[in-house]
Structure formats: structure tokens, C-alpha cells
Amino acid sequence: MTRSQIISSLRRSTLGLFRCHKALIFARIPAFQQVRCKSEDGSCNTCNLQGVVVGLYAKDGDKGLKLSPGGEKFDDRVGGKITELIKESGLNGELGVGRLYQNIDKEYWAVAVVGLGKEGAGFNAEEVIDEGMENVRVCAAVGARALQLQGCTTCHVDGMEYPEQAAEGAAMAVWRYNVNKRKKNRIAIPKLELYGSTDQDAWTRGLFKAESQNLARRLSDTPANQMTPSIFAQATVDALCPCGVSVEVRSMDWIETQNLNSFLMVAKGSCEPPIILEVSYCGTSPEERPILMLGKGLTFNSGGLCLHPKRGMDEYRGAVSGAAVCVAAIRAAAALSLPINVSAVLPLCENMPSGMATKPGDVVTLLNGKTMRIKDISLAGTVLLADPLLYAQSTFKPKLVVEVGSMASGIRKGLGASATGLWTNNSFLWKNFQKAGALTGDRLWRMPLWRYFRKLVAPRASYDICSTGEGHASSCLAAAILYELVPCSDWVHLDTHGTGMLAKHGVPPYLLKDCMTGRPTRSIIQFLYQMACK
């Protein structure tokens, strides 16, 4: 057959194909094309197209192919047509692989049938992940995105026995950061509805979690000229204050009064004024000590005088992702009304080269009296957080400190994007984070906090702490430096350099390649839930 004959044949067919790992669509209506149809009076208007996503379990031993509960309900609705089409098209239930069927129901313009893998999948101890939940996220994501790219304005998603996870996958998959595109070129984000299940509460929880991660994705992905410290502060106020969360915006005068000198050492190279945000969510008795979060808030990290290479420098707009994750997690805690107190200190600034910029070798005195030598200002995370960390502990008297930020490239080289690196002085906290990552599909992995690393950061003859330490284990050394500043608290440090920046390799279907990920927002939300609801 010639190419034109093949295309003509496809257009006559009611079947479209798509695969999850590339999100490719082979349907009779090209992706992004606006779909029009004739109304009853003969006029042509843009349709309010509705689609539905259902799952298909693969064969397992004596068990044959089986539709998810919502899929069986839809199949009954259309008189068994879905079962017939599955047999004709050769679907086998492979995870994330499916077909798009059109014009088989008057109300739903299209139905996406996507493989769910084997039925009954659960926690996999070797992979440290709940595969049943993750499979539902993948299935919902692939189906919802396929319908979105075909012009559906409303996507009804089968709960597939895990409505919360189905909501997460679908909502993250259809989200787009496209405000800088012309309006006519933007991909519309469809409305999501639960299909085939009555567990609306779980569905709503999933939407809250996904929308929070999408907020972190937006704050991290916005170009640096459109996400300066002051703009980030305003975005935080807009996101949190309607939820009943208090936000204090601290300006340059206050920062100087508090002697947060390490933070100013990074900020002074830029003409953008630095800001510190103090965020407080009170979900229980005000007397209860809060969980304290610190997020690295570099809205752009050029490297200062230790300038990053120009190729790939644009990715360092994502150096603000730690602060973005903290904002998103607290927003979700408020939306879910978690019975817990959470506070956050978010130092926001740019790291730029100028005549005022910090020079390699400069020494700064911290709030606790220790001196820190700044060896490489491109690794600004430890310098940026040092004094704010000391200030936050003395001000909020927390029961637990959680730091989040893209600190050093070592964790990316070691774990890639498979998991967020975690350092802690409390094994109980590690177990809770491990459980949270297994449930959300966004894993964390504990890294060593041995005395070996602490000896490599202090002491030295003429200063107390080196901002980078000595040796090659950059992420472990960064954690050891910050641990020196936590005298008596339970403490967790999350390095998101491999997971929170641009998604490049092994990107799950519910995220977008070459875009910021917002990870590990949902894992932190789950951790807060576990700590609040023991």
C-alpha cells in the first residue's frame, strides 16, 4: 500500500494506537487538532468532547484478559463492544500499552483502554515500590494524555481499585506549563472526573496531591526572569494564604538585622533583592512543636564567579525547586487539613557574578560563631542554607527538621533520577520516608552520614567548616556540612539534584521529558500524613 492509502485506511478506522513510554498517538484525528462536528440544527461548533479511560489486566496463568471494574461497567453499557474490539486488535494488557476506540458510545466520544499489567500486583520489596498503585498511575496517565491530545475537554478516569492513584496519574499527565506559548498553540487541560467508583474522597485526595506537585513544577519551570525572589514570594502568598497558611515576607533590612550573613554572601552578587519567607501552617494545637522545612530557593544559580558552563545553564532555574516543593507540600497539608503543625523558612535569591559577588576563598562567620570558608560558590546550597537553618531552629523550636534542595551533582551521578537522596540521624524517620516513597512511586534512598564525611568538612587550621569539604562525594559532604549545624534535632536532608530538576531519563508517563518534575512533593505530603495520623 502507498502512504496515502495507509493514511486513508487509518482515517476510516475507529481505532487509534498509543504507547505509554513515548506517548505517541496514531489516531484518525491528528494530535492538537481542534475537533468540530455538526450540531442538531446543522451548524458547526466546537464539540464538548468526553472520553473515558479504563484498564485491562494482562493474562496471568489460567486467568485471561480482564477489564478493570470501570471497564466492565463500560463494556456492559456498549453491549460488549469493548471486549470484541480488544480481541480484534490484539491487546494483551501490557502495562501502559493500549488503544483508543472512537464512536462506540453516544455520550463518550472515545474510550482509551490501557494495559494495567498483572492483576493483584502489590508491594515489591526488591523495587521498594507498590507496583499495584504505580501501575494505576501509569495506566491513568497514558489514557488521560491520549484523550487530551485528541481534543477531549472532559476525561472520565476509572478508579481501577486505586482512585487516589488514578487521580494522581491523570492530573499530572494532562498538566502543562505553556503560559509562554501563544494561546492558539496551547494544549488545553481537560477536566477530570472519576468513573466507575464511588470513592470520591480518595479521588479528591489524589487531585490535591497532583495539583500540589504541579504547583512545584510550575514554580520550578518558570524562566528566571519571570520567577525572581519577589515574584516567587508573591506566588507563595497567592498559593498559601487562601488556604489559611500564614506567610511572612522578610526583606533585606530584616535579613541584615538578623545577621544572616551566609545567605547574604550568595545574594549580594545579584541586583535582585533577596527575600526570606517564613511560612506557618497550624493544623493542631499551637503549643505543639512544628515540623520545620527548609527549601533551597535559588531562583537562578549561574555559579557566581565559579560560573557554570553555558551549555545547560538554563536548567539552573530549577535550583529553586527545593523551596517550590516546600510550598507545594504545605499547600497540600492545608488542603487535606492534616492535624499537624508545619513551618518553613525559604531563603530566596539569585547567585550571579558581579563586582559584589563572593570570591572563592572568602570566609563568613555564622550565627553559631563558627566560620565557613567558601571554596566553590557554584555549590551555593550549603552557604545559602547555613544561617537560615540556625535561625529557624532557634525561632521555631521544631521537633523535626527537613531540608530540601538540589545540593550537588554527586547524587545524580549515583542514583540518576531513580530516587531522591536522603540523609538522616534517625532511622525511624528513614523508615517513614521509605514507606512514603513506596506508596507514592517517588522513591527515596538513604545515603551514609558517617563520621568519615564529617571529618572531611571540619576542622581546619584557619576556619571551622569548608563549604564543599574535601573529596569527590559532593552530596554526602554537603549533607555532612549541614548536619554540623543541627546540634540536637531530629534531622532529614533531601538532595533532589537528580529528581527535582529537568526530567531526562526514565521519565514516568505522568511527567514530561525536559521539564521540571516537582519531585518529591507527593512523598513529602505522604510523610506528613504519616506523621500526623499515626
Side-chain angles (χ1 to χ4, degrees):
M1 296 177 67
T2 65
R3 178 180 175 83
S4 61
Q5 288 174 325
I6 293 172
I7 294 174
S8 177
S9 176
L10 284 172
R11 286 178 175 170
R12 287 194 300 270
S13 170
T14 62
L15 303 182
L17 301 177
F18 57 91
R19 288 187 175 273
C20 77
H21 59 285
K22 293 185 179 178
L24 297 178
I25 305 296
F26 300 88
R28 65 189 187 91
I29 299 177
F32 318 121
Q33 179 177 322
Q34 190 178 48
V35 183
R36 295 179 179 275
C37 69
K38 291 288 184 75
S39 62
E40 291 183 359
D41 61 2
S43 61
C44 185
N45 298 307
T46 301
C47 290
N48 180 22
L49 297 179
Q50 297 192 72
V52 61
V53 180
V54 299
L56 177 67
Y57 293 107
K59 292 181 180 179
D60 184 13
D62 296 334
K63 295 181 180 178
L65 294 175
K66 179 184 176 182
L67 285 166
S68 60
E72 292 178 342
K73 179 179 178 181
F74 190 86
D75 193 37
D76 292 340
R77 173 190 174 99
V78 297
K81 290 181 181 178
I82 297 297
T83 301
E84 295 175 7
L85 290 169
I86 288 172
K87 292 178 180 178
E88 291 175 6
S89 54
L91 273 180
N92 60 7
E94 180 184 346
L95 179 61
V97 179
R99 291 181 184 262
L100 192 69
Y101 304 110
Q102 300 168 347
N103 303 325
I104 60 174
D105 184 83
K106 291 183 179 180
E107 182 180 355
Y108 298 103
W109 174 77
V111 54
V113 182
V114 189
L116 268 169
K118 293 182 179 180
E119 186 179 12
F123 178 72
N124 186 326
E126 294 299 322
E127 294 292 325
V128 199
I129 196 170
D130 191 306
E131 291 184 334
M133 293 181 176
E134 186 67 4
N135 290 353
V136 169
R137 288 188 196 95
V138 169
C139 177
V142 174
R145 184 174 291 169
L147 294 174
Q148 176 190 33
L149 296 180
Q150 293 307 304
C152 286
T153 55
T154 304
C155 295
H156 299 259
V157 182
D158 180 8
M160 295 174 274
E161 300 181 355
Y162 292 105
E164 181 176 329
Q165 285 67 36
E168 290 175 9
M172 288 189 289
V174 300
W175 181 86
R176 293 290 187 280
Y177 177 75
N178 55 15
V179 295
N180 287 321
K181 282 190 173 185
R182 298 179 67 181
K183 287 187 177 180
K184 67 178 183 180
N185 295 330
R186 296 177 185 176
I187 301 175
I189 299 176
K191 182 181 179 182
L192 297 173
E193 299 285 354
L194 178 61
Y195 181 84
S197 173
T198 58
D199 195 351
Q200 196 66 43
D201 290 342
W203 173 263
T204 303
R205 282 197 306 272
L207 290 180
F208 280 153
K209 291 181 177 180
E211 287 167 3
S212 294
Q213 182 159 342
N214 291 341
L215 170 62
R217 294 164 78 185
R218 177 176 68 82
L219 294 175
S220 304
D221 228 349
T222 303
N225 66 318
Q226 298 174 3
M227 190 54 67
T228 62
S230 56
I231 296 175
F232 188 101
Q234 185 61 57
T236 301
V237 170
D238 294 341
L240 297 185
C241 287
C243 301
V245 179
S246 71
V247 181
E248 294 285 343
V249 181
R250 307 297 192 181
S251 63
M252 183 69 161
D253 290 341
W254 181 91
I255 296 169
E256 290 179 337
T257 301
Q258 297 296 323
N259 295 317
L260 304 183
N261 295 318
S262 76
F263 172 53
L264 292 175
M265 292 291 280
V266 179
K268 67 181 183 179
S270 173
C271 60
E272 287 287 343
I275 286 174
I276 284 185
L277 298 181
E278 292 185 19
V279 179
S280 294
Y281 163 68
C282 186
T284 184
S285 170
E287 289 75 29
E288 183 172 324
R289 295 163 64 197
I291 291 177
L292 173 65
M293 302 183 68
L294 273 93
K296 177 185 170 186
L298 278 178
T299 56
F300 190 75
N301 183 14
S302 70
L305 293 181
C306 303
L307 200 64
H308 289 303
K310 65 179 181 180
R311 184 175 181 179
M313 190 189 288
D314 65 302
E315 181 180 6
Y316 287 95
R317 68 188 185 277
V320 78
S321 60
V325 165
C326 292
V327 172
I330 292 176
R331 184 190 187 195
L336 296 169
S337 300
L338 294 184
I340 193 172
N341 293 339
V342 185
S343 298
V345 172
L346 309 176
L348 304 169
C349 69
E350 293 180 339
N351 183 19
M352 298 292 286
S354 73
M356 294 289 292
T358 295
K359 301 171 286 295
D362 286 358
V363 175
V364 61
T365 301
L366 306 179
L367 283 177
N368 62 358
K370 291 186 177 181
T371 56
M372 174 183 282
R373 179 177 183 264
I374 303 170
K375 184 177 181 180
D376 183 351
I377 194 60
S378 69
L379 300 174
T382 53
V383 184
L384 177 83
L385 291 177
D387 273 336
L389 175 58
L390 293 167
Y391 162 79
Q393 290 176 87
S394 63
T395 302
F396 292 97
K397 303 295 189 297
K399 62 181 178 183
L400 163 64
V401 178
V402 179
E403 301 166 6
V404 189
S406 55
M407 304 301 293
S409 61
I411 198 66
R412 174 183 280 182
K413 294 173 182 176
L415 297 178
S418 65
T420 297
L422 180 148
W423 291 256
T424 182
N425 59 356
N426 187 317
S427 294
F428 171 77
L429 296 175
W430 154 238
K431 291 296 182 183
N432 272 275
F433 265 108
Q434 184 183 39
K435 178 181 177 182
L439 293 175
T440 62
D442 194 356
R443 293 173 291 199
L444 302 102
W445 194 251
R446 188 176 187 179
M447 303 296 289
L449 193 64
W450 298 323
R451 285 192 296 270
Y452 171 88
F453 296 110
R454 301 206 293 273
K455 290 179 180 178
L456 293 177
V457 301
R460 289 295 178 267
S462 59
Y463 54 89
D464 297 315
I465 303 173
C466 176
S467 68
T468 59
E470 295 180 354
H472 300 290
S474 57
S475 293
C476 290
L477 291 168
I481 292 164
L482 293 171
Y483 184 51
E484 289 288 316
L485 308 177
V486 184
C488 56
S489 294
D490 288 334
W491 170 83
V492 177
H493 171 71
L494 304 178
D495 193 336
T496 63
H497 196 87
T499 56
M501 304 285 276
L502 289 182
K504 294 182 179 179
H505 308 289
V507 184
Y510 43 81
L511 298 178
L512 294 169
K513 188 176 181 181
D514 295 325
C515 295
M516 299 295 173
T517 67
R519 296 171 64 188
T521 298
R522 288 179 299 112
S523 292
I524 294 177
I525 296 169
Q526 180 64 30
F527 171 78
L528 293 177
Y529 171 81
Q530 291 167 194
M531 297 299 290
C533 307
K534 297 178 182 179

